[in-house]
Amino acid sequence: MISILGGELLSSLGAGEERIAALRNGRAAPDTIAVEAFADQPLFPYYLIDNSSRVARADHIEEYLQNVTENLFSRQFSGSSPPANTGVFLGSSSIDYSLTRPIEQIIDGLDPGKLPGNRVGGGFYADRIMQRFGLSGPSLTYNTACTSSINAFMDAAAMLECRVIDYALVMGLELSLPVIVEGFALMQLLSPDVLRPFGQKRNGMILGEAVSAVLLCRSDTRSSNWHYLGGESCCEIHSVAGSDPGGKGIAQVIRQSLSDAQVSPSELTALKAHGTGGELMDLAEMRGMEMAFTDIPDYFSLKPYIGHTLGGCGLAELVLLMECVDNGFIPATPHAEPLDEQFTSPPVRTNMDVTHGRFMLNYFGFGGNNTSCILEKTKP
Amino acid sequence: MIFIHAAGIHNTMPRERQPDLAEELHTLTGKIYRRTDHFIQLAILGAHKAAGTRELPAQTAIYLTSGQGNISVFTRICEQRRQHNLLPKPVDFINLLSNSAGFYVASHLALDGKNLFVTHHHFPAQMALLAAQNDLRLGRQKMVLLGGVDEWIPRQELARKLLGVSPSTQLGEGSNWLLLNSEEKNALATVEVHPQLLSSSLLAALLSYAPRNTSLIFSHRFDREAVSGFMRRYPQCRLFSPEEDSGYYETHPLFTLSSFLRQEKGRLIHIDTDGNQYMIVTLANDLL
């Protein structure tokens, strides 16, 4: 069995008690960001980690990744070094953060000089973390749209099961880049005001930033109350731009996840939905849940709290879920009322008292990427 | 142990512009792939060659790896933004944000299993192979179609800078795929990636025990002098050289493995380096 030893998260919600209070009280307010490439430079809500430094996000990537890793390692290894045989698994919707600056400089006719690590591109940041913390296990960087970091998490578990490594550092990374905001704005997928998962008045998603880290090991190495039970990742070939609104692909991955984890639907304490607030995406997700379950479990979305953190959402939402349950609750889903009339089952309306149980986490993205996994927290 | 059941090679050294693959793809598959870019077309081409006439089980997983992904689309988007203040086309944006190439390969072959795009700073092909090896050994997958895709871009100076190679390095592009299975029946070869990086002393120990006539091949990161040094130290081994020329690209090890399958019978050790440590893959096709 795979133990989840702990997690760290940088997001718009701040840290520690401030973050838990926001989740408990259903309060989270996004900043705004201007899409400068549009003639009228419209403002869109955006959940930013730090709204004082939005100019050069890419310059902060290493700092953010190092911070979450340092905090995690210092808590888990009490100040001593992590074992060298630790693998690094990083998921992001952009493998090209490290390419952006040198490419822009060359386009502008400037010499980027000697590049850090002598090369940029896929795997750059995972390699920097390996070097910074003296890790020598294998590393992989995942780019599977909104399922990137949860796929990294699940493959890290497989690497542990195969005894290739003793510990796995899994990281999720998503920071605002102009091209990301412009792309989603252009496709008219962004809400101008509020993220309303499964709501009748939902009008799109709100993007967010998140940098997260989770430490895993086999349960025979170290024990924890949190475990990864299993999951599945599938490719739905309906459309490159989204899931089949009929829900077939989503139902398939949910069923396979339950089967892999050997968990029956009735054993699920709650389900963390993808819940983007997108019209078709929420429809597909609801149809998928209706097909997969006779009775849909209590479900909730965390995106009204930190926004849609794209490739980083897998791990960021996993960390938030663990923190909430460790603090005795599952948060209500704000702004979901009134519920879409087509849906029979609303998301969690008020905080649920939960201290342990089995939790399904679902993620769906561009490129037909569907992933579902199940975690368990045993009684404290 | 895992087994190679098929291989597909697409390997070129463009000189001035990216080859037009749409027509080649149409000739080969009889289909037209709309809304695809060069990187995606490369991926489909290589995967199609590996799959051949087989009808793969729908649950076959796709593990696609690349050093820089669809770098030409990303560069074009950056150029359009910087020089013309243009927004990205939606199709470019979607292809940039996700592993669209894997999606189109899955669509082409009607596969709905696991579909990953993974990469690594030094060893994208070997790390993807390691992920596949794990999943096959654990029984999490029965069959994996694993491909390495790297595209050549006309802005050679930019490409060399990003790759960290010398100005004289001839760059190439490739889409090389292996069909992997945990079952031996009808296999072409066994393949194994050593999961840990090796120090020079561990590599020396491993090579000193290599059976007579083991073939060695070294990645593009070794210069001629270094390769000669290895071959002098291990005279029981011989140097494998693919018949087909190729330029530098980061998933090149998959081209090498596939070339060995095509050309030779025996045992191959592929050796790559990050400058300090070594990563090895062994392939054998003489015992099956």
Side-chain angles (χ1 to χ4, degrees):
Chain A
M1 193 181 289
I2 302 301
S3 292
I4 309 171
L5 299 177
E8 282 287 326
L9 171 67
L10 279 175
S11 74
S12 59
L13 280 184
E17 288 180 9
E18 181 190 2
R19 180 153 75 213
I20 293 302
L23 288 155
R24 199 185 287 281
N25 299 326
R27 279 202 315 264
D31 296 291
T32 54
I33 199 163
V35 183
E36 292 171 1
F38 284 45
D40 56 349
Q41 302 199 351
L43 291 171
F44 283 97
Y46 209 120
Y47 292 89
L48 299 168
I49 289 175
D50 173 6
N51 64 9
S52 65
S53 60
R54 68 180 59 163
V55 177
R57 308 312 275 189
D59 294 347
H60 294 279
I61 292 176
E62 277 191 66
E63 174 196 332
Y64 287 154
L65 289 172
Q66 280 186 24
N67 284 350
V68 291
T69 306
E70 256 162 25
N71 290 342
L72 186 61
F73 283 172
S74 70
R75 279 199 291 119
Q76 295 299 328
F77 299 112
S78 306
S80 58
S81 301
N85 191 21
T86 298
V88 174
F89 303 81
L90 190 151
S92 175
S93 72
S94 305
I95 66 158
D96 25 45
Y97 282 123
S98 65
L99 294 165
T100 308
R101 181 59 57 88
I103 287 178
E104 287 180 349
Q105 286 173 323
I106 290 170
I107 288 168
D108 292 346
L110 303 171
D111 180 2
K114 185 171 165 50
L115 300 175
N118 199 38
R119 171 214 175 259
V120 287
F124 175 83
Y125 291 107
D127 191 66
R128 302 292 279 183
I129 290 296
M130 302 279 293
Q131 288 187 28
R132 168 69 181 75
F133 293 96
L135 309 177
S136 62
S139 90
L140 278 160
T141 295
Y142 292 73
N143 175 220
T144 55
C146 305
T147 61
S148 300
S149 58
I150 201 66
N151 282 336
F153 174 89
M154 285 166 47
D155 271 14
M159 201 80 81
L160 285 162
E161 276 184 65
C162 274
R163 296 185 175 268
V164 170
I165 50 175
D166 294 325
Y167 287 88
L169 171 68
V170 192
M171 313 195 81
L173 170 66
E174 205 65 51
L175 296 177
S176 75
L177 284 179
V179 69
I180 302 286
V181 192
E182 289 163 11
F184 279 111
L186 194 69
M187 294 176 74
Q188 301 183 322
L189 293 175
L190 296 182
S191 166
D193 46 33
V194 175
L195 198 156
R196 303 176 179 88
F198 305 100
Q200 181 71 37
K201 295 179 181 173
R202 67 185 184 276
N203 58 1
M205 63 173 118
I206 297 178
L207 297 174
E209 294 183 313
V211 181
S212 53
V214 162
L215 190 67
L216 306 178
C217 70
R218 284 182 304 279
S219 299
D220 58 7
T221 305
R222 269 172 71 180
S223 61
S224 164
N225 286 333
W226 280 100
H227 301 110
Y228 166 65
L229 297 183
E232 200 60 64
S233 176
C234 297
C235 180
E236 182 180 355
I237 53 177
H238 168 75
S239 161
V240 73
S243 301
D244 176 358
K248 191 177 158 201
I250 289 174
Q252 179 190 337
V253 79
I254 288 174
R255 288 189 190 114
Q256 289 184 207
S257 174
L258 288 163
S259 168
D260 185 68
Q262 298 181 15
V263 169
S264 68
S266 62
E267 291 177 291
L268 291 176
T269 307
L271 182 155
K272 185 216 69 67
H274 194 50
T276 63
E279 187 180 346
L280 287 176
M281 191 59 244
D282 283 4
L283 175 66
E285 185 163 14
M286 180 55 72
R287 293 287 178 251
M289 289 195 288
E290 287 168 351
M291 287 170 78
F293 298 110
T294 309
D295 295 309
I296 296 175
D298 288 325
Y299 71 96
F300 59 101
S301 168
L302 291 167
K303 289 184 174 65
Y305 294 97
I306 58 168
H308 188 355
T309 58
L310 303 176
C313 79
L315 215 59
E317 294 180 5
L318 183 150
V319 173
L320 283 183
L321 167 67
M322 288 172 59
E323 286 183 352
C324 288
V325 175
D326 285 344
N327 281 277
F329 72 102
I330 290 284
T333 303
H335 317 304
E337 302 287 347
L339 185 71
D340 187 322
E341 288 168 353
Q342 302 176 81
F343 304 159
T344 51
S345 174
V348 172
R349 288 182 162 122
T350 56
N351 291 351
M352 291 169 63
D353 291 332
V354 174
T355 56
H356 62 280
R358 291 178 166 181
F359 308 94
M360 174 173 273
L361 296 90
N362 291 339
Y363 307 92
F364 315 108
F366 281 166
N369 290 292
N370 294 339
T371 301
S372 171
C373 71
I374 298 174
L375 310 186
E376 176 184 57
K377 186 182 182 195
T378 50
K379 276 186 182 176
Chain B
M1 189 168 292
I2 62 169
F3 300 90
I4 300 175
H5 280 240
I9 298 178
H10 182 84
N11 171 71
T12 56
M13 281 198 293
R15 295 287 173 185
E16 289 176 359
R17 60 175 63 91
Q18 287 181 335
D20 181 1
L21 298 179
E23 198 174 319
E24 188 175 347
L25 207 49
H26 183 239
T27 307
L28 203 62
T29 68
K31 296 178 189 170
I32 294 169
Y33 295 88
R34 293 189 174 84
R35 297 185 293 278
T36 59
D37 53 48
H38 184 74
F39 184 81
I40 293 170
Q41 290 165 5
L42 256 181
I44 300 170
L45 204 53
H48 180 85
K49 288 179 179 179
T53 53
R54 285 176 189 78
E55 193 170 322
L56 301 179
Q59 276 294 300
T60 302
I62 295 171
Y63 293 14
L64 173 58
T65 184
S66 173
Q68 311 266 9
N70 49 2
I71 184 78
S72 58
V73 168
F74 187 65
T75 308
R76 186 170 73 235
I77 288 175
C78 289
E79 272 177 332
Q80 286 169 345
R81 288 193 77 255
R82 303 293 285 188
Q83 297 182 334
H84 310 291
N85 203 28
L86 291 173
L87 292 163
K89 290 180 191 166
V91 65
D92 282 348
F93 175 66
I94 291 172
N95 291 346
L96 190 70
L97 205 65
S98 69
N99 60 333
S100 290
F103 171 85
Y104 284 101
V105 170
S107 297
H108 174 66
L109 298 171
L111 306 180
D112 62 7
K114 186 175 179 179
N115 195 326
L116 295 181
F117 181 99
V118 293
T119 183
H120 184 269
H121 192 53
H122 301 288
F123 309 115
Q126 293 94 327
M127 289 295 172
L129 203 46
L130 179 59
Q133 183 171 285
N134 286 339
D135 277 353
L136 288 164
R137 281 180 176 168
L138 289 172
R140 296 192 61 81
Q141 302 298 335
K142 288 183 179 164
M143 194 177 278
V144 174
L145 185 59
L146 181 146
V149 181
D150 282 306
E151 64 176 341
W152 182 96
I153 59 171
R155 295 184 74 138
Q156 290 284 280
E157 194 185 335
L158 169 68
R160 290 192 187 97
K161 186 85 187 171
L162 301 175
L163 290 167
V165 297
S166 74
S168 61
T169 304
Q170 169 72 52
L171 302 179
E173 70 175 18
S175 175
N176 302 290
W177 292 72
L178 299 174
L179 184 61
L180 304 169
N181 197 318
S182 53
E183 289 184 12
E184 182 175 353
K185 192 181 173 189
N186 299 325
L188 302 176
T190 62
V191 64
E192 181 158 25
V193 56
H194 193 289
Q196 307 296 350
L197 291 172
L198 302 179
S199 63
S200 54
S201 57
L202 279 174
L203 178 66
L206 185 140
L207 292 178
S208 64
Y209 287 107
R212 176 167 292 281
N213 282 330
T214 295
S215 296
L216 304 184
I217 186 150
F218 300 84
S219 78
H220 285 311
R221 296 188 177 107
F222 292 87
D223 59 28
R224 278 186 192 173
E225 202 176 317
V227 172
S228 301
F230 272 104
M231 298 316 296
R232 275 196 303 275
R233 283 199 293 281
Y234 306 103
Q236 85 277 23
C237 299
R238 59 200 189 93
L239 187 65
F240 170 64
S241 177
E243 288 164 356
E244 195 178 331
D245 286 340
S246 61
Y248 181 98
Y249 54 92
E250 295 187 293
T251 56
H252 190 268
L254 293 172
F255 165 73
T256 306
L257 298 178
S258 297
S259 297
F260 186 83
L261 281 175
R262 187 187 273 185
Q263 288 174 229
E264 302 267 348
K265 276 276 180 202
R267 186 167 190 267
L268 175 75
I269 301 178
H270 181 284
I271 306 168
D272 204 347
T273 183
D274 61 6
N276 296 310
Q277 293 180 295
Y278 302 91
M279 183 115 209
I280 65 161
V281 179
T282 56
L283 181 151
N285 63 351
D286 56 344
L287 297 174
L288 296 174

